[in-house]
Amino acid sequence: MTAPGTIRASPPAGELVAEEFDGWSPELRKEFTDNAFNHQVGSVLLSETEDLRVWGIQVPPGGRLPAHRHVLDYFWTALTDGVGIQHTDDGTTRRVRVRTLLPVGPLHARLRPRGGPLGADPARTDP
């Protein structure tokens, strides 16, 4: 049992498909060396405190993020289903399948205006 107030590490996401840098190109290995201290995890830094950074990340089909290093605990949420290949600095490669947790179809919501109630968009017509 994990003690209250402690963070339990999750196992790596995805299916292990290679180890010991198998299949890595010389360019990919150089990218990891060159970016060993790149802390830019996403495309746009949306918010930051001493303990937390919130990044906006958009990866188009067939696109990729450059190698980077996480310095804080992290999680991510997918807004669309997909499959990605993840390389890590220990030489492993994983195939990560992501599924959204959002309901199918458009979802409209509005923010709480100056302390008013939070609720669904009254103009929404879908079920």
Side-chain angles (χ1 to χ4, degrees):
M1 175 175 223
T2 304
T6 62
I7 297 174
R8 185 178 69 215
S10 298
E15 166 195 2
L16 181 65
V17 295
E19 295 180 287
E20 299 182 18
F21 303 96
D22 185 36
W24 288 39
S25 68
E27 295 81 13
L28 181 60
R29 291 185 77 156
K30 183 177 184 328
E31 180 181 331
F32 269 74
T33 300
D34 292 348
N35 287 294
F37 299 100
N38 174 13
H39 299 156
Q40 184 171 343
V41 172
S43 309
V44 178
L45 183 60
L46 301 172
S47 181
E48 180 176 24
T49 69
E50 183 178 315
D51 300 314
L52 174 74
R53 290 189 194 115
V54 179
W55 289 94
I57 301 171
Q58 290 184 338
V59 182
R64 61 187 299 274
L65 294 174
H68 54 270
R69 180 176 301 274
H70 293 266
V71 294
L72 300 172
D73 292 331
Y74 66 94
F75 74 94
W76 46 270
T77 302
L79 299 180
T80 59
D81 294 351
V83 177
I85 300 297
Q86 178 186 44
H87 300 283
T88 54
D89 63 350
D90 65 358
T92 59
T93 303
R94 295 181 168 280
R95 181 177 297 109
V96 180
R97 297 179 193 282
V98 295
R99 301 279 314 219
T100 63
L101 299 176
L102 300 176
V104 176
L107 176 64
H108 306 282
R110 61 186 166 92
L111 297 177
R112 186 176 326 177
R114 296 193 181 173
L118 178 66
D121 184 344
R124 180 178 167 179
T125 58
D126 57 315

